[in-house]
Amino acid sequence: MAGNKGRGRAAYTFNIEAVGFSRGEKLPDVVLKPPPLFPDTDYKPVPLKTGEGEDYMLALKQELRETMKRMPYFIETPEEKQADPKSKKAKDTDKGTSLANTADVLKKIEELEKRGDGEKSDEENEEKEGSKEKSKEGDDDDEDDAAEQEEYDEEEQEEENDYINSYFEDGDDFGAESDDNMDEATY
Amino acid sequence: MTQAEIKLCSLLLQEHFGEIVEKIGVHLIRTGSQPLRVIAHDTGTSLDQVKKALCVLIQHNLVIYQVHKRGVVEYEAQCSRVLRMLRYPRYIYTTKTLYSDTGELIVEELLLNGKMTMSAVVKKVADRLTETMEDGKTMDYAEVSNTFVRLADTHFVQRCPLVPATENSDPGPPPPAPTLVINEKDMYLVPKLSLIGKGKRRRSSDEDAAGEPKAKRPKHTTDNKEPIPDDGIYWQVNLDRFHQHFRDQAIVSAVANRMDQTSSEIVRTMLRMSEITTPSSAPFTQPLSSNEIFRSLPVGYNISKQVLDQYLTLLADDPLEFVGKSGDSGGGMYVINLHKALTSLATATLESVVQERFGSRCARIFRLVLQKKHLEQKQEIPKTPDHAPSRTFYLYTVNVLSAARMLLHRCYKSIANLIERRQFETKENKRLLEKSQRVEAIIASMQATGAEEAQLQEIEEMITAPERQQLETLKRNVNKLDASEIQVDETIFLLESYIESTMKKQ
């Protein structure tokens, strides 16, 4: 074609100077992929403001977040509800009767104990896996973890039932006796 | 609504109200107003759940309803109102600085519950305050009522629109949904209530005293029987009033930074005088005479009239143009140029962003272009009048409105990212967090029942040192992310105020 004068020779079809590049200058690289998701910034961001007001608002924000989750306006999906049997439905006419805004420790413990029921089986499974892996890897951390969980589990088990310790039939000396002193026989 | 705004709304709704409310809310934001059945059909949710979700959203002033022709009721979401949930801590803290703890709790309860009657608020706040007081002391309802009245008088809380009193001569069936109205003059009218009583402490030892197990303890026996004296009169927080306060704060502190304390006090006085007379979206305040300003200066501020006049002249002459002189009567009439002030603040924000992101040189160029309005890259004079590319020169300018919008959009994205990251961090450490909570609860219960130091130590050691380290790091990160959210919201406020003021002006 008539216009094909530059066969194979590189030539621009417009005045390159108008765009800002002087003749013969190295053009920027061709872009082959999208820019990185987290591009490097040349300058570090300015540190956050600190002060009494900022601290107070931060605490408020976190508190509000927790409080809102306990209010009757927080509607959980049926799957979530199954996991937590103690959730309240939003049927109160007096919308103010939500769970404690201030922490009521005893109530919370009850809640946690109940939840501990469901999670106990998870921990036991984890323990079993932990002890199996122990022999293979001989990993100290795993061992400690499993032992810790076992010990913790017992503790939790002790807490969650309603029996007073003195109801045990093991006798009043249970636990009080020193294990090291094996001189005397026990009947 | 941009995608960024919708995403942010989704995160906020989900965090505060759960997934069902989020689904319905986001659907309405995306599609505009829709009737009940269409919402249920389009979202694939049961009618019952849609109703519950709508109740929550309407209660919190996030969704409004309207009766359209043919008796169809349509629901519409207010995206910008959802975004205001980010600002709740700021509203509450501001009230604390103005009306101390009582005021703070009143606003907090109203924000948490959306709408409440005055009697319910007073009772709830009195109970909460009593909890924090020493044994034997209680908070009187009267004191809380007084603070409530003060909040209403200064317009920080306002009445919600009500069902209008219908005359019974209206024939035909009632409309499917009421159209709520509120009279301008009734908005801050406090009902005459004689709330007598004191806050009640919630006693955890009640069961021992009464000899009944906790489950059987009757809940609020007396309250349910008493009729609510102000039933039907609901109150909500007046966010616009708070925004006006934030704007005034920003202007005063800008003047203090640029000039000095006295100038900022004068400006603060002028703004205070204009609070009720000037609508918050006006481009400038009503003119105030120098004499009036002198009389309204805070008690104990000892500057002479001449000094005041000098300051006013200085302020009016300042290139920032926050204060303008509009006449000479009364010793000189002065106004605060609200729109100019907001523009300056927004521009300063842009300059700051350019500086921190691109460096001082870029910041200098940016400021130069802003100042000169139109600048050329190289200072060449055009030779020919035709538009040939080689001989046309291009000018650079900063379109402040456009740039502000773009930065605002970025802010929404930033906060969405911050929230997502925070949720991710919390989820990653969920097991550890739950474990630590359980341990704390056990320790607390053991302390309550009087356990020995050694036993407590043993329980505490259930959390290993590296786990403690992990928890520390998590807490630090979550705090940083939360604090960042709050501060980005401050920028959002400035930019939105400027954009709103500019749009109203046009």
Side-chain angles (χ1 to χ4, degrees), chain B residues 415-473:
Chain B
I415 299 200
N417 287 349
L418 287 166
I419 296 178
E420 292 237 46
R421 182 70 201 197
R422 177 170 46 78
Q423 289 178 343
F424 171 78
E425 293 278 325
T426 313
K427 201 160 124 190
E428 281 279 289
N429 294 284
K430 188 169 145 162
R431 196 195 72 89
L432 186 56
L433 267 173
E434 284 177 353
K435 177 175 175 185
S436 115
Q437 275 172 349
R438 275 204 294 267
V439 167
E440 268 176 41
I442 292 172
I443 292 183
S445 80
M446 286 175 75
Q447 273 176 336
T449 58
E452 296 161 9
E453 192 58 44
Q455 284 175 304
L456 289 175
Q457 276 263 343
E458 208 179 293
I459 306 291
E460 267 182 29
E461 275 162 23
M462 284 203 281
I463 303 188
T464 65
E467 281 180 337
R468 260 182 224 286
Q469 186 68 23
Q470 209 178 330
L471 281 170
E472 270 303 308
T473 310

Side-chain angles (χ1 to χ4, degrees), chain B residues 6 118 154 184 189 273 308 388 394 407 416 432 453:
Chain B
I6 298 176
M118 179 175 167
T154 46
E184 187 73 38
L189 213 55
M273 291 162 71
L308 172 68
Y394 298 90
L407 187 57
L432 186 56
E453 192 58 44

Side-chain angles (χ1 to χ4, degrees), chain B residues 236-277:
Chain B
Q236 63 188 358
V237 176
N238 181 5
L239 299 188
D240 283 335
R241 179 66 184 90
F242 276 97
H243 295 163
Q244 188 188 20
H245 181 84
F246 297 156
R247 182 203 64 196
D248 293 350
Q249 258 182 337
I251 295 176
V252 167
S253 84
V255 173
N257 282 341
R258 187 173 172 81
M259 302 181 82
D260 68 344
Q261 179 76 3
T262 314
S263 319
S264 73
E265 278 310 309
I266 295 173
V267 170
R268 193 202 298 276
T269 307
M270 291 172 75
L271 284 166
R272 202 168 12 93
M273 291 162 71
S274 314
E275 256 168 28
I276 313 287
T277 58

Side-chain angles (χ1 to χ4, degrees), chain B residues 76-131:
Chain B
E76 195 179 321
Q78 321 250 279
C79 176
S80 54
R81 178 59 181 83
V82 178
L83 295 172
R84 292 298 84 81
M85 291 175 76
L86 282 166
R87 216 163 282 164
Y88 283 6
R90 195 171 176 193
Y91 298 134
I92 299 171
Y93 177 67
T94 303
T95 319
K96 187 187 173 78
T97 60
L98 296 172
Y99 296 101
S100 91
D101 290 348
T102 316
E104 178 197 357
L105 290 187
I106 291 176
V107 167
E108 188 180 319
E109 282 300 318
L110 281 173
L111 285 171
L112 279 174
N113 289 286
K115 307 188 198 359
M116 278 174 95
T117 59
M118 179 175 167
S119 42
V121 174
V122 167
K123 186 175 171 309
K124 190 87 205 292
V125 171
D127 286 347
R128 278 183 72 178
L129 284 168
T130 306
E131 287 287 328

Side-chain angles (χ1 to χ4, degrees), chain B residues 154-165:
Chain B
T154 46
H155 296 199
F156 281 103
V157 300
Q158 68 188 48
R159 278 214 215 178
C160 301
L162 330 138
V163 181

Side-chain angles (χ1 to χ4, degrees), chain B residues 4 53 60 67 105 111 115 177 191 198 239 289 314 318-319 347 423 439 449 472 489 496:
Chain B
H60 281 84
V67 186
L105 290 187
L111 285 171
K115 307 188 198 359
K198 296 192 196 297
L239 299 188
S289 73
L314 262 171
D318 190 89
T347 313
Q423 289 178 343
V439 167
T449 58
E472 270 303 308
D489 183 58
E496 278 183 351

